[in-house]
Amino acid sequence: AVFNSNYEIAPDMSESIAPGAFSQTLGEDVRALTNHDTTLVLGRNTAGTLTLREDSHGLWGDILINPKDSDAMNTYERVKRGDVSQCSFGFRIGAEEADFRDDGTVHWTITRVDPLYEVSVCTFPAYEATSVNARSASREAALAEHLDAWKTKLKGVLEKWH
């Protein structure tokens, strides 16, 4: 979810998410899904496979994909290719503000999401400003290898000093 990004609910009706709207619900049990499908679970925060937080841009998440789950890997590959590039979320409105405008339009600003049920990698999201990217675990492996090499060099330097 991108803060202050408009979603057109219907003609002359829109909503957006205010900064801080997720702050009270991030510790709850939240799942990461594919297209809101509860049979396609990619991660879960209580299992340590989904990390969620708010930043200045909006709701940010990281999913640790299970390489033994073919459905998860298929979704990962679609994201990696750019075929699926956005996100969505399932929630209930905890609090909102309504702005009934002089031109007959109405805009709701969601100030509290309570609860947040799920986040989804999504083909057709309501909020167009969302994005999802694939990041390879090989990056972390390369960093770990680099750190190990640095530690080995440091150990050699320290042994010379003794």
Side-chain angles (χ1 to χ4, degrees):
V2 176
F3 295 140
N4 302 314
S5 170
N6 284 339
Y7 161 54
E8 187 176 338
I9 300 168
D12 299 328
M13 299 169 61
S14 62
E15 74 177 15
S16 61
I17 308 291
F22 296 98
S23 62
Q24 295 180 15
T25 192
L26 292 179
E28 296 176 8
D29 190 7
V30 182
R31 280 100 167 149
L33 308 175
T34 300
N35 285 318
H36 304 289
D37 186 337
T38 58
T39 65
L40 297 174
V41 179
L42 300 173
R44 188 173 182 177
N45 65 340
T46 58
T49 55
L50 170 64
T51 303
L52 295 170
R53 71 171 189 259
E54 282 188 332
D55 61 20
S56 61
H57 188 69
L59 180 64
W60 178 92
D62 184 56
I63 304 167
L64 180 61
I65 296 295
N66 179 358
K68 295 179 181 178
D69 180 340
S70 60
D71 292 325
M73 290 306 295
N74 288 338
T75 298
Y76 172 77
E77 289 299 324
R78 288 179 183 107
V79 170
K80 192 170 155 184
R81 283 175 30 126
D83 298 332
V84 178
S85 60
Q86 294 169 296
C87 299
S88 187
F89 56 104
F91 67 104
R92 190 172 51 212
I93 297 170
E96 66 184 351
E97 298 171 357
D99 180 15
F100 295 94
R101 299 173 177 163
D102 292 339
D103 63 0
T105 63
V106 62
H107 179 82
W108 289 274
T109 301
I110 298 170
T111 57
R112 191 176 80 243
V113 168
D114 187 22
L116 174 64
Y117 298 111
E118 53 92 6
V119 294
S120 281
V121 175
C122 198
T123 308
F124 295 106
Y127 286 88
E128 293 289 327
T130 62
S131 64
V132 63
N133 297 290
R135 183 179 59 153
S136 173
S138 63
R139 178 178 179 269
E140 282 72 29
L143 288 173
E145 184 178 313
H146 180 72
L147 181 60
D148 287 342
W150 181 81
K151 286 179 182 178
T152 301
K153 285 182 183 180
L154 181 60
K155 182 179 177 185
V157 169
L158 291 175
E159 286 174 354
K160 288 180 184 179
W161 285 87
H162 285 15

